[in-house]
Amino acid sequence: MKNISLYEDKDTFLHHLHPNTKLLYIIVANLVPVLIGTHWVTTCFIILSFLFLLCGKVAQKSLPMLGFSFMILLTVIIIQGIFREGNVTPLYSFWGITFYREGLTFAVFVTLNVINILLSFAILVLTTKPSDMVEAFVQLGLSPKIGYVVSSVFQIIPHMSEKMATITDAQRSRGMETEGSLLIRLKAFVPLIAPVVMNSLIDTKERAIALEVRGFDLSVRKTFLHAQKRSKLDKMGQTLLFLVLILGILWRIIVC
């Protein structure tokens, strides 16, 4: 069954990393800049995340995420640069509108943090299969029921799209008009949607029976068919990330 996700199937070291390693990178990439509290640390993580995405051959797929947030970030820069409380140092004027250093500094800080969050999460989302991601979260302690719901979300839309296409073709073969004016499409809506709903209910019932047979509701410890093993690169990466996190905490304690 197809999945609806942003995952890009590539043969790179980033795709072969354990999901827990990528999850730890997200935590470190977003927590360490907060602990140290300087722009240059956030900028370093942004550059590092983008280099990882380039190595994973998914950097181009991450650009729409940044483009989607561009308008929001631009709004933050304008509002904070002009109206932020505590603005006292004029930086420059544009069409009679004055932008202040304090507001722009804060807006840049927010912008860098948002970009850092997006790129770090892109590493996990673009290079990890949804099934592997959910399984890793369940192994970390996430409820199997919640894991199943999350996994189903990635599958239900493609599954219903395939069903809809199959039923549409079947109805067309029986002579039903499905294309044309709005009135014709409305007439075809009920004959098309009713089988889709009925098939979805049948599939839901069959899944529930299959899960019950497999002991989904049992309280015993769950086992996994495909055990995800940590490679040497995972162990090295996690050790390095833990060291960076510890250094960030020490910096916060000693310097701040």
Side-chain angles (χ1 to χ4, degrees), residues 35-146:
L35 292 172
I36 297 179
T38 56
H39 296 345
W40 65 268
V41 178
T42 309
T43 305
C44 288
F45 274 108
I46 291 175
I47 296 173
L48 183 61
S49 296
F50 193 74
L51 289 176
F52 279 143
L53 292 171
L54 285 175
C55 294
K57 301 178 181 179
V58 291
Q60 187 174 0
K61 192 75 178 287
S62 66
L63 296 180
M65 298 181 185
L66 298 177
F68 177 77
S69 61
F70 175 75
M71 291 302 299
I72 300 175
L73 295 176
L74 182 61
T75 303
V76 170
I77 292 174
I78 294 174
I79 293 176
Q80 296 296 330
I82 300 174
F83 303 108
R84 177 175 169 77
E85 184 180 0
N87 285 345
V88 292
T89 309
L91 191 61
Y92 64 90
S93 296
F94 183 74
W95 287 353
I97 301 174
T98 303
F99 287 84
Y100 295 87
R101 182 185 300 275
E102 292 81 6
L104 288 177
T105 301
F106 178 77
V108 169
F109 181 76
V110 172
T111 301
L112 289 176
N113 278 281
V114 171
I115 295 174
N116 184 34
I117 292 171
L118 288 175
L119 292 181
S120 59
F121 271 94
I123 293 175
L124 176 66
V125 174
L126 297 178
T127 65
T128 310
K129 291 181 180 179
S131 57
D132 295 340
M133 190 189 311
V134 173
E135 187 172 308
F137 291 160
V138 172
Q139 291 180 7
L140 285 175
L142 181 70
S143 171
K145 293 182 180 181
I146 298 177

Side-chain angles (χ1 to χ4, degrees), residues 180-217:
S181 64
L182 179 61
L183 182 60
I184 293 175
R185 295 186 180 185
L186 287 175
K187 288 181 179 179
F189 179 75
V190 175
L192 287 176
I193 200 64
V196 172
V197 173
M198 291 302 298
N199 274 280
S200 298
L201 293 175
I202 294 171
D203 289 341
T204 301
K205 182 178 179 180
E206 290 177 350
R207 284 194 179 195
I209 294 173
L211 290 172
E212 190 68 26
V213 170
R214 294 169 184 171
F216 187 74
D217 285 333

Side-chain angles (χ1 to χ4, degrees), residues 16-19 21-22 229-239:
H16 297 309
L17 285 178
H18 195 282
T21 305
K22 303 171 192 177
K229 297 181 179 179
R230 293 193 306 165
S231 64
K232 292 183 179 179
L233 187 59
D234 281 304
K235 294 177 182 178
M236 292 173 55
Q238 291 180 13
T239 302

